[in-house]
Amino acid sequence: MEVVKNSNALQQILSKYQKEGKTVGFVPTMGALHVGHFSLLEIAKNQTDITVCSIFVNPTQFNNSSDLTNYPREVERDLKNLDNGNCDVVFLPQVEDIYPNGAISESYNFGRVSEIMEGEHRPGHFDGVATVINRFYEIVKPNRAFFGEKDYQQYVIVDMLAKQKHPNVKVIGCPIYREDDGLAMSSRNERLNNSQRTEAPIISKALFYTKEKIKTDTIESIQAYVKNLFTNSKELELEYFEIVDENFENISNVADVTHARAFIAAFAGEVRLIDNLPLF
Ligand code: AMP
């Protein structure tokens, strides 16, 4: 496994592979890696010849400066865990390398997917995501890029970005990995105290309840049940709970749509957690 710290060196290494006709799979991360991240690398290894994992805490996608400051950074541990055969090249760039003209977002318009839920509650977040991923697509020129459905809106947006500006990049959505109690794996889980960690599975419980009841109960009664779960929780505060169709429109009648997905964002103290589940 090669560890590369700047984009010129990375491009030199990758262009050698690309000239040999090898395909490149790319897994961008912000580090503090867990099984969910490693699952993306395993999928990438099965589909491409050379796998590249970036670890870069992207400042432009944080709308909250204390979230950026407190984001877990575990590069030494990550490098040890990455060296398991599924990662060929680790890219650890500095902010100046990715943003030579300063860490400023470009403006994008992806329509409704970027305006609701994460787009509404984290202003500027998706511009920051699209800016950094656009830059990574330019530097890495991957054949395939692998993203977790854990960040489902992000996955849809980076897929739209690829189709609009980098048609040679195929974006692959990968399943959500969960702890045994249902909590979606996340680097931010490391910041939960014991009591918050004990209550955090309420999020996935609410989503699985929704999946179970979506065909039989009204949306209003499901919403009331989910709100109540959070009202009764000592540690978790619900930010949003939405059930949307494939166009990210809120569903009023289940019979009218062919796909539905439920989304939750909640705070445990200062730690913001998100999760989602396809319903049918
Ligand atoms: P992050 O380091 O949080 O920016 O995540 C890097 C990539 O890993 C993104 O594509 C995430 O969607 C994905 N990811 C994060 N958590 C999970 C999970 N629990 N299961 C699957 N993919 C995940």
Side-chain angles (χ1 to χ4, degrees):
M1 184 176 83
E2 292 183 82
V3 180
V4 184
K5 296 196 171 167
N6 71 75
S7 51
N8 286 338
L10 181 74
Q11 282 179 311
Q12 268 183 18
I13 291 171
L14 293 182
S15 69
K16 188 173 91 42
Y17 289 128
Q18 281 153 339
K19 274 189 201 124
E20 291 168 5
K22 297 204 162 111
T23 55
V24 172
F26 178 45
V27 177
T29 80
M30 298 204 297
L33 302 177
H34 50 69
V35 172
H37 294 116
F38 297 120
S39 74
L40 303 189
L41 275 159
E42 193 178 337
I43 295 169
K45 192 70 197 168
N46 285 330
Q47 296 189 15
T48 52
D49 299 320
I50 302 293
T51 54
V52 179
C53 175
S54 63
I55 299 178
F56 179 64
V57 181
N58 172 35
T60 64
Q61 73 187 67
F62 285 81
N63 57 317
N64 174 330
S65 58
S66 87
D67 189 25
L68 173 61
T69 311
N70 293 318
Y71 198 84
R73 290 163 170 87
E74 301 281 353
V75 176
E76 290 311 313
R77 186 189 77 188
D78 290 345
L79 289 176
K80 271 196 209 119
N81 290 337
L82 275 172
D83 204 1
N84 66 358
N86 284 336
C87 180
D88 297 303
V89 183
V90 189
F91 182 36
L92 300 176
Q94 298 295 312
V95 173
E96 305 75 51
D97 187 2
I98 299 302
Y99 295 107
N101 302 319
I104 299 164
S105 290
E106 293 152 6
S107 281
Y108 288 86
N109 182 358
F110 297 101
R112 183 155 172 87
V113 57
S114 59
E115 287 161 4
I116 66 164
M117 299 188 293
E118 293 304 282
E120 181 184 343
H121 290 276
R122 301 187 70 189
H125 170 65
F126 286 131
D127 278 346
V129 168
T131 302
V132 77
I133 297 299
N134 184 50
R135 179 93 177 100
F136 278 140
Y137 286 162
E138 277 167 11
I139 296 169
V140 179
K141 297 185 184 59
N143 300 81
R144 291 179 178 223
F146 299 83
F147 290 86
E149 292 188 356
K150 158 82 170 30
D151 302 279
Y152 192 79
Q153 287 176 276
Q154 167 176 283
Y155 152 64
V156 171
I157 283 168
V158 297
D159 187 36
M160 289 169 82
L161 176 73
K163 288 186 171 117
Q164 286 169 14
K165 296 181 68 167
H166 303 270
N168 295 331
V169 181
K170 185 170 167 59
V171 170
I172 311 290
C174 305
I176 301 174
Y177 270 64
R178 300 179 177 281
E179 304 287 356
D180 289 343
D181 59 10
L183 177 66
M185 290 182 182
S186 165
S187 305
R188 287 188 171 87
N189 294 351
E190 293 185 19
R191 295 183 55 207
L192 300 173
N193 66 30
N194 286 344
S195 171
Q196 291 165 339
R197 176 64 189 81
T198 304
E199 290 204 12
I202 288 175
I203 299 169
S204 55
K205 187 176 166 202
L207 294 171
F208 283 103
Y209 175 88
T210 306
K211 184 177 163 79
E212 188 189 319
K213 300 288 182 187
I214 189 74
K215 293 276 172 128
T216 51
D217 292 12
T218 63
I219 301 246
E220 290 74 22
S221 72
I222 294 172
Q223 278 165 339
Y225 178 89
V226 167
K227 283 201 180 118
N228 199 36
L229 267 182
F230 284 89
T231 310
N232 290 333
S233 158
K234 195 164 54 71
E235 298 288 0
L236 291 189
E237 196 180 323
L238 182 64
E239 185 173 50
Y240 63 72
F241 168 59
E242 303 284 356
I243 302 172
V244 300
D245 65 15
E246 65 271 36
N247 300 316
F248 291 89
E249 299 291 345
N250 288 97
I251 294 174
S252 44
N253 187 354
V254 172
D256 295 342
V257 298
T258 49
H259 294 283
R261 192 174 277 263
F263 294 78
I264 286 183
F267 280 94
E270 290 213 322
V271 184
R272 188 170 179 281
L273 301 173
I274 60 170
D275 196 357
N276 70 86
L277 192 71
L279 303 178
F280 57 85

